[in-house]
Amino acid sequence: MPSKYAAETSSEPTPIGGVRAPELLSVFDGPPDLSDEIPLGPRGRYKDRTPSVTHSPEVMDPSELEPFAKPEAALTEALALLADDDWEKKIEGLNFIRCLSAYHAAVLTGRLHETSLAVAQEVKNLRSGVSRAAVVCLGDLFTYLRKSMDQEVDNTVKVLLHKAGESNTFIREEVDKALKAMVNNVTPARALCSLINGGQSHLHTAVRRCTAQHMADIVERMGPEWVLSGTKGVTDRTFPAIARFALDSSQQTRYYGRKMLFCVMTHPDFDKTLEKYVPAKDLPYIKEFVNNLHQKGLGEMPLDTPSAKGRRSHTGSVGHSRSSSTSRDALNITDREATEAREVSRKAVPRNSLESEEYVKDIVGLLNAKDFRDRINGIKQLLSDAENNQDFVVVNIVKIFDAFKSRLHDSNSKVNQVALETMHKMIPLLKDNLSPVINMLVPAMVDNNLNSKNPGIYAAATDVIQALCQHLDSYLLLQPFCTKVQFLNGKAKQDITEKLAGKALLCFARLFVC
């Protein structure tokens, strides 16, 4: 095949390694029947290809990766393309690096640190197409370069884990694949430490869950002998991380923590190692988990895994061409919220005091989460518990509503409105059981909401006040209403004064009858 880097007969300037600018568009050998033409290259071929469900037009399928005629010049050009501001050139550069990893690993290894840094930087790209292409590229680097990636694993795993919290289903799926490739191909100890460093203490629930999932894969594959070998950086890092995941606020993360305990608890040195490396404050809880695992086994995964969510969203999309990234991401968020709403109703009822304490911690963690979507999930979970597990809510009402009250005036208007609408639904269920928390709920419900310029928030707030007056004893509302009305103004003062007058009349009428 003729080399696309051959430029001996040209009188034009050759800026890079003797390569003419037109021929720089493709460094691949074209099909035999087009050998006399300048091929379009990977980017050109993608423009002519019908988009598929699993692969966007920008991301090359592994079967389309081809070797270069001059790989050294191709690598130089790939890095130049990545440095360009044009997003299409960035994706072309990422495709070049994927081809180099598959067919010219020795060439790529010579400049691996520079290359991996450039690719990792594009994972953070705000354009989802570039970010996804970079994630796929990292997966190929792990797949083809294997242990050569050991020195690059800390930085690359960190940026991949950060992307695990994305709302974009396509990117989350590719992150999962790339991390699996990392776990299966680099040195296990390096993989383990990079996961712990990058995700164990992350604020995002999805990142911690993803970290625990892939860490559990390593522990399961390597076995208890390896984990408890005493090797520096393995045993001393693994056990504190397992304990932390087993006590996480997320049920899925806790499941993976228990799964790791289940994998190693049969080792004769397990108990001794547990006491040596697990913090004393966590040790009683971990030991109870281990006893439950001995008695009842690991059990089923409590909720669907992120990759399963992605597969469901793909199933409904077969046969449709790829829409714009904006509309696709909006659809993914809607699908995820619907899925999470279904999952909320399937949460198990706590069976003992330890599980009850964890359950409260789970809900409170969601209600106070940094991500507004997690806060909304916490609100939905509380409503589900009020409907299906009311005794649990009543017993823990102060702890739960101390966290919930802040959502009634949340800085995010969507969370604020959802909280008010949920409160309206919970009042008829809990009724006078709200008495221990009514003094802190009334200010949270009234402040700002009854004077809000947002019609949805104002309507939800008036519905909540009406429900309180309808379902709670008048004596419970008199004091908080009287206290609050002194400091209100505008229509909020008018609304509460009207409700207060009605409640006062009812109380006086009751006293008169008595």
Side-chain angles (χ1 to χ4, degrees):
M1 294 183 183
S3 169
K4 301 304 177 289
Y5 275 95
E8 291 81 356
T9 59
S10 174
S11 59
E12 299 177 19
T14 56
I16 298 178
V19 184
R20 291 198 307 275
E23 293 167 339
L24 204 56
L25 293 174
S26 175
V27 293
F28 295 100
D29 290 337
D33 57 331
L34 297 177
S35 59
D36 295 330
E37 301 178 16
I38 297 176
L40 292 173
R43 189 169 61 192
R45 286 201 297 270
Y46 270 84
K47 287 182 178 179
D48 296 333
R49 202 179 72 195
T50 303
S52 66
V53 174
T54 56
H55 292 280
S56 70
E58 295 89 358
V59 180
M60 291 180 67
D61 189 272
S63 63
E64 297 173 314
L65 302 179
E66 299 177 12
F68 289 107
K70 294 187 177 181
E72 293 83 1
L75 177 55
T76 300
E77 176 61 13
L79 294 172
L81 288 168
L82 287 179
D84 199 288
D85 291 335
D86 188 330
W87 67 272
E88 289 186 325
K89 290 183 179 179
K90 287 180 181 292
I91 292 175
E92 185 177 6
L94 291 166
N95 285 332
F96 278 23
I97 292 172
R98 292 180 64 201
C99 294
L100 286 163
S101 68
Y103 292 100
H104 309 286
V107 173
L108 191 58
T109 303
R111 300 177 68 180
L112 183 56
H113 183 65
E114 179 186 0
T115 304
S116 66
L117 285 177
V119 175
Q121 186 62 33
E122 297 309 325
V123 172
K124 305 173 188 176
N125 196 296
L126 296 179
R127 183 177 282 274
S128 61
V130 176
S131 178
R132 181 175 172 238
V135 171
V136 173
C137 186
L138 283 182
D140 280 357
L141 291 177
F142 287 125
T143 300
Y144 296 113
L145 302 187
R146 299 176 66 83
K147 289 181 173 58
S148 297
M149 285 292 290
D150 278 4
Q151 300 301 318
E152 313 301 329
V153 75
D154 286 335
N155 181 56
T156 51
V157 167
K158 185 177 180 180
V159 296
L160 286 172
L161 285 172
H162 181 75
K163 278 291 174 180
E166 283 276 324
S167 61
N168 187 314
T169 303
F170 294 93
I171 291 179
R172 288 203 315 269
E173 281 196 333
E174 298 299 349
V175 166
D176 187 56
K177 292 176 186 176
L179 288 173
K180 283 182 179 176
M182 184 275 298
V183 166
N184 291 330
N185 290 289
V186 306
T187 303
R190 296 301 298 264
L192 191 72
C193 289
S194 67
L195 286 168
I196 293 172
N197 293 338
Q200 175 188 266
S201 303
H202 203 282
L203 295 175
H204 202 298
T205 303
V207 175
R208 297 196 307 275
R209 180 178 60 228
C210 181
T211 303
Q213 177 186 349
H214 291 288
M215 185 174 161
D217 289 342
I218 296 174
V219 170
E220 187 176 24
R221 180 162 61 93
M222 300 306 294
E225 292 290 341
W226 180 79
V227 176
L228 282 85
S229 63
T231 304
K232 186 178 180 181
V234 176
T235 309
D236 59 325
R237 299 294 307 278
T238 302
F239 271 82
I242 290 175
R244 187 159 185 166
F245 288 136
L247 296 170
D248 195 86
S249 61
S250 162
Q251 281 194 336
Q252 278 191 331
T253 306
R254 292 202 303 272
Y255 171 82
Y256 288 120
R258 292 196 304 271
K259 183 178 181 181
M260 287 185 273
L261 288 172
F262 188 74
C263 289
V264 300
M265 69 184 187
T266 55
H267 193 279
D269 295 333
F270 173 74
D271 292 332
K272 181 175 66 175
T273 308
L274 204 64
E275 293 183 1
K276 181 177 179 180
Y277 292 111
V278 173
K281 63 184 179 64
D282 298 332
L283 194 58
Y285 301 105
I286 300 302
K287 285 185 174 179
E288 184 167 345
F289 282 140
V290 174
N291 289 334
N292 287 336
L293 289 170
H294 278 298
Q295 294 171 13
K296 303 171 185 177
L298 180 60
E300 295 292 328
M301 180 76 179
L303 298 176
D304 291 334
T305 59
S307 57
K309 290 181 191 177
R311 284 194 296 271
R312 280 202 300 273
S313 68
H314 280 297
T315 304
S317 304
V318 174
H320 296 276
S321 61
R322 183 172 177 264
S323 62
S324 70
S325 60
T326 304
S327 61
R328 186 189 69 194
D329 289 354
L331 179 62
N332 290 334
I333 293 172
T334 304
D335 289 345
R336 188 176 77 159
E337 289 179 350
T339 302
E340 288 168 343
R342 290 195 297 272
E343 290 168 351
V344 158
S345 63
R346 298 205 300 271
K347 288 202 176 221
V349 176
R351 294 186 292 266
N352 54 48
S353 59
L354 178 60
E355 290 192 8
S356 179
E357 184 179 339
E358 291 175 4
Y359 211 54
V360 173
K361 185 179 177 182
D362 196 357
I363 294 176
V364 170
L366 287 171
L367 290 172
N368 291 327
K370 204 168 183 179
D371 191 318
F372 80 93
R373 288 164 294 207
D374 289 334
R375 298 201 297 276
I376 289 176
N377 287 335
I379 294 168
K380 292 175 181 177
Q381 177 62 48
L382 178 55
L383 176 60
S384 175
D385 291 332
E387 293 171 340
N388 305 310
N389 190 18
Q390 193 174 122
D391 291 341
F392 160 72
V393 175
V394 172
V395 169
N396 299 283
I397 197 162
V398 176
K399 291 180 182 178
I400 294 173
F401 277 81
D402 185 54
F404 176 72
K405 74 177 189 295
S406 299
R407 305 289 69 81
L408 293 166
H409 52 83
D410 196 284
S411 58
N412 185 299
S413 60
K414 184 176 181 179
V415 177
N416 190 0
Q417 185 169 339
V418 170
L420 288 167
E421 291 169 351
T422 300
M423 189 71 224
H424 180 246
K425 295 175 184 177
M426 288 193 293
I427 290 169
L429 299 171
L430 299 175
K431 297 185 178 178
D432 289 347
N433 288 317
L434 289 168
S435 58
V437 294
I438 196 66
N439 285 327
M440 66 178 176
L441 286 179
V442 168
M445 290 183 285
V446 171
D447 287 349
N448 301 322
N449 293 324
L450 288 178
N451 280 327
S452 175
K453 295 180 181 179
N454 185 319
I457 290 176
Y458 175 74
T462 54
D463 287 344
V464 168
I465 299 301
Q466 181 63 38
L468 286 174
C469 294
Q470 183 178 349
H471 295 284
L472 268 68
D473 191 289
S474 298
Y475 286 110
L476 293 175
L477 297 175
L478 270 179
Q479 182 181 348
F481 277 12
C482 285
T483 303
K484 200 64 206 167
V485 77
Q486 301 175 58
F487 305 101
L488 293 174
N489 52 41
K491 59 182 178 180
K493 187 164 189 171
Q494 180 181 346
D495 289 339
I496 293 298
T497 301
E498 290 175 357
K499 299 300 179 185
L500 181 59
K503 285 299 173 185
L505 286 173
L506 285 174
C507 290
F508 283 129
R510 191 184 302 177
L511 287 171
F512 182 77
V513 170
C514 293

